[in-house]
Amino acid sequence: MKHCRSCLFLALALLLASCIGIDANGRIAADGAVELLMTYTVSTAVDELGKLGANAAYLPLPVGRDDMELAATRAGGQLRSWSRKDGGESFTVTAALAFPSVAAFASFLDPEGKLAVYGESGGTSTLSLTLSGGISPTDPDLVEFVRVAFADYTVNLTFDLPRIPKTARGFTIAGRKASFSMKAADLYASAVPVAASVSW
């Protein structure tokens, strides 16, 4: 399961994201400030794996309020609200966060600056996200596990940009809105890396 390390949750702590369902909506203001509303659903089975000491591999996203707040603060942002709703086989976390810049937001997604990268050049801003590092097709057991475990989950990312994008890869563009949507099972079981970027 070490391959799950490469799943980014933005997201949206990202997750950039690992082995969960994600619905993240971000708004990037003209001054670069970012407001993010993120909801992610975690399978109880995945959470239990984390509790057994493998959370770094299975669940890199902060689940608790304190951990989420710490992650946001370390990136220069703030946690504005947080809630958790428990279900029979999963639980859902909803968090509202704010960051002073897109660079801070990218740092929140990946402090190492590899899976979430923000850059500026010649008046153009670019946000690049690596959402999955790819699973070796020679590991059929892992692929089958991922497809079964996350069949009901989806990864949805939407960004309202300060102006109409100049270029995009992996995102669908509608006006100033950039959107990415993919079934979690297809994303996490992809044999090749899955990445998306948008420039404005």
Side-chain angles (χ1 to χ4, degrees), residues 28-42:
I28 302 175
D31 64 358
V34 179
E35 293 182 356
L36 178 71
L37 179 61
M38 178 173 61
T39 300
Y40 54 96
T41 302
V42 181

Side-chain angles (χ1 to χ4, degrees), residues 36-38 65 68 78-83 94-97:
L36 178 71
L37 179 61
M38 178 173 61
R65 181 187 180 95
M68 177 71 77
Q78 66 179 89
L79 176 64
R80 291 184 169 173
S81 67
W82 181 95
S83 65
T94 299
L97 304 103

Side-chain angles (χ1 to χ4, degrees), residues 8-194:
L8 174 66
F9 151 52
L10 218 150
L12 159 202
L14 200 301
L15 10 197
L16 284 148
S18 176
C19 300
I20 51 181
I22 302 164
D23 192 357
N25 292 279
R27 178 183 176 276
I28 302 175
D31 64 358
V34 179
E35 293 182 356
L36 178 71
L37 179 61
M38 178 173 61
T39 300
Y40 54 96
T41 302
V42 181
S43 166
T44 304
V46 173
D47 186 41
E48 287 301 319
L49 286 171
K51 291 177 180 177
L52 293 175
N55 59 317
Y58 293 92
L59 196 58
L61 261 179
V63 173
R65 181 187 180 95
D66 291 345
D67 289 337
M68 177 71 77
E69 188 166 27
L70 179 60
T73 301
R74 283 180 173 172
Q78 66 179 89
L79 176 64
R80 291 184 169 173
S81 67
W82 181 95
S83 65
R84 170 173 167 159
K85 182 178 181 180
D86 292 292
E89 298 181 354
S90 64
F91 62 88
T92 301
V93 172
T94 299
L97 304 103
F99 301 91
S101 66
V102 185
F105 169 62
S107 178
F108 167 73
L109 296 179
D110 179 23
E112 294 183 5
K114 297 178 180 178
L115 302 180
V117 179
Y118 173 72
E120 297 178 357
S121 178
T124 298
S125 300
T126 301
L127 177 63
S128 302
L129 306 174
T130 299
L131 302 165
S132 172
I135 291 179
S136 171
T138 60
D139 196 346
D141 291 338
L142 176 59
V143 172
E144 181 60 21
F145 169 77
V146 170
R147 290 199 177 280
V148 172
F150 309 112
D152 296 330
Y153 298 114
T154 303
V155 174
N156 297 307
L157 309 175
T158 301
F159 294 100
D160 288 313
L161 304 171
R163 53 185 178 269
I164 295 175
K166 296 179 179 179
T167 60
R169 179 171 59 95
F171 283 103
T172 298
I173 304 300
R176 293 189 294 110
K177 189 183 299 291
S179 303
F180 172 92
S181 183
M182 191 172 184
K183 291 183 177 179
D186 292 339
L187 177 62
Y188 302 139
S190 175
V192 297
V194 177

